[in-house]
Amino acid sequence: MNFSKIKSLFLRLLIACLVAASLLAVVTVLVGSFTEVSSKALITILLIAVHSLVSISFITNHEKQDTFSNLAVFTNVTFGIIVLSFITSVLGVWGLLSGELVGKLYALFVVLLFACLHGEVLAKTLGKQVTIDKVVYANFVFMTIVVLMLLPVIFSGFSESLGSFYYRLLAAVGIIDATLSLVAVILHTLYVQKHPQISDPVFSLQQLPYQQNGENVPVMVQQPKRHTNIFVVILIGFLVLQVIGSVLVAVIGAISKN
């Protein structure tokens, strides 16, 4: 995937959005009224600009951390969801999808994106130690259960018809899922520390050299800078919040029951 060309395309798209918005504003001023169609057209232009900026930000992160090579599946899914997000938002603006359905679809996109990142990061820890593999495979099972249990919650609009036990069960499975993930990450980190010769393409990235006109420009460094992929940091943060949130849901449910 040629990210330089894609980035250039999105930048041109942003310029086109700016020009289109300016022309629409000029026409509105000359006509002297701002119709519903004009407002929807302006919102559509803004949506194009927002999604282009999101894409550019993602590509910029790739250029710094080589996200595509390290998290290829997550990268492709992210671009796919950006496209779906744009289509969904535009259909919502023009009234072809209800606001409620748009909200549910966006919740689904977030769940799928998080599950994809979660699964691919876990997969990167496999093949190093039997204990880690067992934890990860068990984690895959509970992660799948969490995603499947979230679908009725999303499309029912958090309806009470699912029953309090359903939400308590979801909270319990969520706690197990997040705990297993954190355990896998810790075990993987300890293993890599004991075996420094093992390459760690996700949890310990080497800063890519500065590029100019598509060519690597050598830089004078004493030691290569290493850092954790920003998406892995976000994932770990979500996992911690998942544990805390699930515990709070369980506690609130128990209190309300009493």
Side-chain angles (χ1 to χ4, degrees):
M1 186 180 294
N2 193 325
F3 281 98
S4 298
K5 291 183 178 180
I6 295 177
K7 186 176 182 180
S8 176
L9 174 63
F10 281 124
L11 286 172
R12 292 177 182 178
L13 191 59
L14 280 174
I15 295 174
C17 290
L18 178 61
V19 173
S22 300
L23 290 176
L24 182 60
V26 170
V27 172
T28 301
V29 170
L30 293 177
V31 173
S33 62
F34 198 70
T35 64
E36 182 180 358
V37 174
S38 299
S39 63
K40 289 181 177 180
L42 181 59
I43 294 174
T44 301
I45 293 172
L46 292 176
L47 287 174
I48 296 173
V50 168
H51 285 82
S52 297
L53 285 172
V54 171
S55 301
I56 291 174
S57 299
F58 192 82
I59 293 172
T60 301
N61 178 78
H62 156 75
E63 292 175 342
K64 293 180 179 179
Q65 302 191 5
D66 198 17
T67 306
F68 182 73
S69 299
N70 297 309
L71 297 170
V73 176
F74 173 70
T75 302
N76 289 323
V77 170
T78 298
F79 274 106
I81 287 181
I82 290 174
V83 174
L84 291 176
S85 170
F86 171 69
I87 295 173
T88 301
S89 59
V90 171
L91 292 178
V93 167
W94 291 94
L96 298 177
L97 292 178
S98 65
E100 182 181 1
L101 180 57
V102 169
K104 291 178 179 179
L105 289 175
Y106 268 99
L108 177 63
F109 294 157
V110 172
V111 170
L112 292 178
L113 194 62
F114 178 75
C116 178
L117 175 61
H118 192 177
E120 189 166 14
V121 170
L122 286 175
K124 296 292 185 179
T125 66
L126 291 172
K128 297 179 178 65
Q129 197 174 43
V130 175
T131 304
I132 299 176
D133 291 351
K134 290 180 179 179
V135 172
V136 170
Y137 288 135
N139 200 169
F140 283 148
V141 174
F142 282 96
M143 182 182 68
T144 303
I145 294 174
V146 169
V147 172
L148 293 177
M149 291 187 69
L150 281 174
L151 296 182
V153 174
I154 291 173
F155 288 98
S156 68
F158 298 89
S159 173
E160 295 181 358
S161 61
L162 293 174
S164 61
F165 177 75
Y166 186 90
Y167 290 100
R168 292 200 304 273
L169 180 61
L170 175 59
V173 176
I175 292 173
I176 298 173
D177 171 35
T179 303
L180 287 173
S181 298
L182 294 174
V183 169
V185 170
I186 293 171
L187 290 176
H188 172 80
T189 302
L190 292 174
Y191 181 84
V192 172
Q193 287 179 350
K194 292 181 179 179
H195 304 81
Q197 73 278 8
I198 301 294
S199 61
D200 188 9
V202 173
F203 295 90
S204 182
L205 296 174
Q206 180 174 332
Q207 185 70 40
L208 295 179
Y210 175 74
Q211 292 187 345
Q212 185 177 21
N213 298 326
E215 297 181 357
N216 290 340
V217 177
V219 283
M220 297 296 294
V221 291
Q222 294 181 348
Q223 293 182 346
K225 294 182 179 180
R226 306 193 72 83
H227 57 281
T228 303
N229 192 313
I230 183 62
F231 293 108
V232 177
V233 175
I234 294 173
L235 172 63
I236 294 174
F238 268 114
L239 291 174
V240 173
L241 290 176
Q242 183 175 325
V243 173
I244 297 174
S246 299
V247 171
L248 289 177
V249 169
V251 171
I252 293 173
I255 294 175
S256 62
K257 184 178 181 181
N258 296 329

